[in-house]
Amino acid sequence: MNHTSAPEISVSPEKWKLAAHVGELSTSIIREILKISSQPGVVSFAGGLPAPEMFPIAELKQAAVEVIDEYKSGALQYSLSMGIPQLREAIADRETRLGAKSGLDNILITSGSQQGIEICARAFVDRGDYILCEYPTYVGALQAFNFYQTRYAPVEMDNDGMRVEQVEATIKKYHPKLIYTVSTFHNPTGITMALDRRRTLVEIAARYNIPLIEDNPYSDIRFEGKPVPSLKELGGEGVISLGTFSKTVAPGLRIAWMNASEKIMKTFEKVKQCSDLHSNTYTQFMINHFIRSGHLETHIQRLKKDYGAKRSRMLEEIEKHFPSEISTTRPEGGLFLWGVMPKAMSASRLLDIAIQRKVAYVYGTPFYPDGKNDNTFRLNFSNATLDGISEGIKRLGQVFRENLSK
């Protein structure tokens, strides 16, 4: 049959009628900045990227081969929505060892912790519901929640984290469906919530019977200070904890987990089945092999040393090159620090100038539910070399000095 003579069908996909809430979605500003900052010669502090040179390539290559040898076609087959039992047991054992007593049935494997946030939103949130969160908060969480047309009940932060003395009044005013927090090495600020505030927050959440979501991707990467108990450790069944191997192993594997009460886990399992049936079977087996072989803890120590040195270098260079009118946080771990300019300055406007000078960062407004505070910005220190940090902060300092209070 001659198909070349068939008439061409003309369609206009751009005119298809989208769901109303989809039309309101915005593109991730961080992804857009990453496109720009990937230009040759640009020192980028924009992403939340782990250092690629720190990926455990040899160990993962070994795991990839040995998983096939051991599990054969089983490593490539459909698997359980909850995740393979071997990995769930390994995670539960480690969570228990770290202080949050957990069992196999408390763990659900997700495709990145972003899916864990989305599962919580899909399970709990109706249009117009309020979510209580820090101000600022993780932009990826805002994207997930915005899809469900949520509203926000933000609580301000200081150097000890969420100002929990404001939480009860905020609950009484807005009646939020969820409380969402990045309590350890907060994204975007790098701040860690103080222990007394953690205890208060879990007590208030329990008293009002509001699910408390602890987004906890960074706590393993502590290079200074004393570890603080997780909200999960303090709050038990009242806390839904989200963890990930994206920051401690490799983000491309897309393996993360939810740790929650068995009483809600069946709901989460059903919600997950609607989106992807199950997470990547093969990479689950690889991560399990990586953990069981003893590589995870050794690798985390390497990360802490590397990222700690980069954080310290960035703070040293900021002290030398930034004007005194700009303040920054001093994170004890994680991937980020946060800057605040004088009110008259615009971090979004200065980004264009910075990129012309071959340095990039993320301005702060996307991290605020109301899009305010344009005088703030986030810097990532994990994905640059020490020399790159020195040169990039020098360039950025010049931009800030030349445009101080403009």
Side-chain angles (χ1 to χ4, degrees), residues 56-129:
I57 301 295
E59 293 88 348
L60 290 176
K61 181 178 180 179
Q62 178 185 10
V65 173
E66 293 185 5
V67 159
I68 290 290
D69 288 342
E70 182 174 357
Y71 297 100
K72 300 180 172 56
S73 60
L76 304 173
Q77 186 57 279
Y78 284 115
S79 59
L80 300 174
S81 299
M82 291 285 289
I84 63 169
Q86 297 91 327
L87 178 57
R88 289 162 59 208
E89 286 179 356
I91 292 170
D93 289 347
R94 188 170 191 270
E95 294 272 273
T96 299
R97 210 164 53 244
L98 293 174
K101 188 176 180 180
S102 308
L104 176 71
D105 292 333
N106 298 120
I107 306 299
L108 170 68
I109 304 301
T110 60
S111 303
S113 57
Q114 184 71 16
Q115 187 184 41
I117 299 172
E118 209 277 337
I119 286 173
C120 289
R122 186 178 291 199
F124 292 113
V125 176
D126 293 309
R127 178 180 180 179
D129 282 341

Side-chain angles (χ1 to χ4, degrees), residues 3 6 21 35 45 68 71 90 92 102 178 184 188 205 232 249 265-266 303 332-333 362-364 386:
H3 293 284
H21 61 280
K35 291 177 186 176
F45 304 129
I68 290 290
Y71 297 100
S102 308
L178 298 174
T184 304
K232 184 65 179 174
V249 184
M265 196 53 86
K266 285 295 181 184
L303 290 178
E332 296 181 335
V362 176
Y363 54 84
L386 290 172

Side-chain angles (χ1 to χ4, degrees), residues 134 155-167 179 181 183 191-205 212 228-231 234:
E134 287 134 336
V155 175
E156 295 175 350
M157 298 180 67
D158 60 21
N159 288 331
D160 287 323
M162 183 189 290
R163 295 183 58 186
V164 295
E165 74 275 10
Q166 299 177 4
V167 168
I179 298 173
T181 175
S183 59
I191 290 170
T192 295
M193 188 186 296
L195 177 57
D196 59 337
R197 295 191 181 187
R198 291 170 184 248
R199 288 180 173 140
T200 299
L201 183 61
V202 297
E203 188 276 325
I204 293 173
L212 175 55
V228 186
S230 67
L231 297 179
L234 297 171

Side-chain angles (χ1 to χ4, degrees), residues 206-274:
R207 191 186 331 144
Y208 287 90
N209 201 32
I210 301 172
L212 175 55
I213 303 171
E214 177 185 33
D215 195 356
N216 192 23
Y218 311 110
S219 62
D220 281 323
I221 311 174
R222 173 178 284 277
F223 30 77
E224 182 180 290
K226 184 179 179 181
V228 186
S230 67
L231 297 179
K232 184 65 179 174
E233 180 178 348
L234 297 171
E237 286 196 334
V239 177
I240 302 163
S241 180
L242 308 179
T244 183
F245 294 105
S246 290
K247 306 303 185 291
T248 55
V249 184
L253 299 178
R254 306 311 297 140
I255 298 300
W257 70 93
M258 304 175 75
N259 185 347
S261 168
E262 295 176 42
K263 299 169 186 175
I264 193 65
M265 196 53 86
K266 285 295 181 184
T267 298
F268 291 158
E269 182 182 15
K270 287 187 289 187
V271 170
K272 178 178 169 62
Q273 288 171 347
C274 296

